[in-house]
Amino acid sequence: MSGIPVHEVDRHRQAWVLKADQWSLAQDPVAEQEGKYRGYTEAIKAAGYTVWTGVGEVYMVPLTLTVWARPEEPSFLFDLEGAAETQIVYAASLPDALTLLNQLAPTLQALAVTDQIAHAEPETMSVLADVLDKLHDRRRGKNGSVIQK
C-alpha cells in the first residue's frame, strides 16, 4: 500500500479509500453510524454493507480479512484484524477491490494455508503430509518412511 499520504488531523472520521490506483482520505461511512449502534458490526451493516468474502478465523491466524460490499461508493470495506489492532480501508469500486485483493494475495494465500493447518484434524493430517511430500518431491514407503532417491 505504498503511496499513502500522511495522516490528516480529522483521521477518526476519515478512512483510506483506494480509487483508480490512488489512495485518499474520505469521510468514513461507518464512523457516521458509530454511536448509534452497540457494536462495530452493527454500524457496518447500518452503513449498508454485507459480507462479501473473508479469510482466516480470529485467534487461529495472526491476521484475518473480511470484505464487506454495498452498491454505493465506497463499495467495498476491507476489515483487516490483527492480534492487537484492526485496520479498515475502502475500495471505491469492484476494480479497486480486485486491485487491493491482488495486492493482498500473498498475505491471503499464507493465511489460507495457515488456517487449513490450524484446522487440521488427526484423521486429515495424512492428507497434509501427502501435500507436503508432493511439494518437496518426496515419496514414502508403506511404513511411512521417506524413500531416498
Side-chain angles (χ1 to χ4, degrees):
M1 293 191 220
S2 62
I4 296 176
V6 177
H7 291 277
E8 294 182 11
V9 177
D10 195 24
R11 173 69 172 104
H12 68 283
R13 304 295 291 169
Q14 294 184 329
W16 293 110
V17 178
L18 178 64
K19 184 172 185 174
D21 290 327
Q22 297 293 317
W23 286 99
S24 62
L25 281 171
Q27 188 65 32
D28 185 341
V30 174
E32 294 172 7
Q33 302 299 324
E34 287 182 309
K36 299 177 190 176
Y37 298 91
R38 281 189 262 190
Y40 191 72
T41 300
E42 287 182 26
I44 291 172
K45 290 177 181 178
Y49 290 96
T50 57
V51 173
W52 188 57
T53 191
V55 66
E57 186 177 331
V58 177
Y59 306 117
M60 296 296 287
V61 293
L63 179 69
T64 64
L65 170 68
T66 305
V67 181
W68 300 75
R70 69 178 188 177
E72 64 202 70
E73 284 192 14
S75 296
F76 295 88
L77 181 155
F78 283 68
D79 181 358
L80 292 156
E81 188 169 341
E85 191 173 326
T86 297
Q87 293 293 319
I88 304 292
V89 295
Y90 294 87
S93 65
L94 179 59
D96 300 314
L98 294 175
T99 296
L100 188 51
L101 281 171
N102 187 47
Q103 291 173 1
L104 292 169
T107 301
L108 297 176
Q109 188 175 33
L111 286 174
V113 170
T114 303
D115 196 38
Q116 290 301 309
I117 292 169
H119 286 96
E121 297 292 329
E123 56 272 4
T124 61
M125 287 301 216
S126 65
V127 174
L128 180 58
D130 291 344
V131 169
L132 291 172
D133 286 343
K134 186 74 170 170
L135 286 172
H136 294 286
D137 196 27
R138 292 188 298 232
R139 289 189 350 206
R140 293 187 181 268
K142 292 186 184 214
N143 66 356
S145 63
V146 174
I147 297 172
Q148 299 297 325
K149 290 185 178 186

